[in-house]
């Protein structure tokens, strides 16, 4: 079964998934928040997901950031809609900066690097990889 991660934003949600053996984290897509529930229903009919991982925006002192209120609502609906799939929250501080750095070093053409959703999917992949690394020990 797969693990699915979300980098939730009010304009875009970046998503990443593992392979069925949970060895590799891969960017999946970026989607508008209004379309997430239809997308998830379709995806979960085709693929089994064991765990949802959601990036939790924290400030430097560890307290919730201003955008955390939006994630609370998303997580609540995720748990209500899919009660059999556990939801894990992961500290997402610096993931957008890390994603931007990875993209800049990737060798992609400038036009591709400037796609707004790219940072979100790469951030979701970093969130997922962080979770996978924490489970490895």
């Amino acid at each position: 079964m797969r693990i699915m991660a979300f980098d939730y934003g009010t304009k875009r949600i970046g998503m990443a998934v593992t392979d069925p053996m949970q060895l590799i984290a891969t960017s999946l897509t970026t989607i508008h928040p209004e379309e997430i529930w239809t997308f998830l229903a379709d995806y979960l009919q085709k693929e089994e997901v064991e765990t949802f991982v959601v990036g939790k925006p924290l400030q430097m002192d560890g307290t919730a950031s201003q955008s955390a209120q939006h994630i609370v609502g998303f997580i609540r609906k995720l748990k209500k809609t899919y009660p059999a799939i556990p939801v894990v929250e992961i500290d997402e501080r610096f993931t957008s900066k890390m994603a931007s750095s990875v993209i800049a070093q990737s060798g992609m053409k400038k036009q591709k690097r400037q796609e707004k959703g790219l940072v979100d999917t790469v951030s979701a992949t970093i969130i997922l990889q962080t979770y996978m690394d924490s489970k490895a020990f």
Side-chain angles (χ1 to χ4, degrees):
M1 292 205 296
R2 297 177 187 272
I3 301 170
M4 178 179 278
F6 304 91
D7 179 30
Y8 186 88
T10 57
K11 294 182 181 178
R12 289 177 305 277
I13 300 173
M15 299 172 63
V17 292
T18 64
D19 61 292
M21 303 265 308
Q22 299 180 7
L23 300 173
I24 300 168
T26 307
S27 295
L28 180 61
T29 191
T30 302
I31 195 160
H32 191 279
E34 292 176 4
E35 300 168 357
I36 187 67
W37 305 110
T38 302
F39 178 88
L40 281 175
D42 291 343
Y43 187 87
L44 293 171
Q45 285 182 348
K46 299 174 207 150
E47 301 288 345
E48 289 186 74
V49 174
E50 174 183 295
T51 306
F52 291 132
V53 179
V54 181
K56 185 177 181 179
L58 300 173
Q59 295 184 24
M60 291 303 292
D61 64 2
T63 60
S65 73
Q66 292 177 345
S67 61
Q69 66 188 7
H70 302 290
I71 283 118
V72 169
F74 173 68
I75 290 171
R76 188 179 304 123
K77 187 165 181 180
L78 202 55
K79 287 179 177 180
K80 184 178 179 183
T81 308
Y82 301 103
I85 302 174
V87 178
V88 178
E89 296 176 53
I90 293 288
D91 180 356
E92 70 165 24
R93 281 181 283 192
F94 309 115
T95 56
S96 292
K97 287 182 182 178
M98 290 167 59
S100 295
S101 177
V102 167
I103 292 165
Q105 296 172 16
S106 70
M108 285 184 205
K109 293 186 178 185
K110 185 176 182 181
Q111 184 176 355
K112 178 75 174 166
R113 288 193 319 254
Q114 292 177 334
E115 289 180 13
K116 293 180 187 239
L118 184 59
V119 170
D120 298 315
T121 57
V122 173
S123 291
T125 306
I126 292 169
I127 290 165
L128 182 52
Q129 189 64 54
T130 301
Y131 173 73
M132 290 169 59
D133 292 347
S134 73
K135 274 184 49 175
F137 298 103

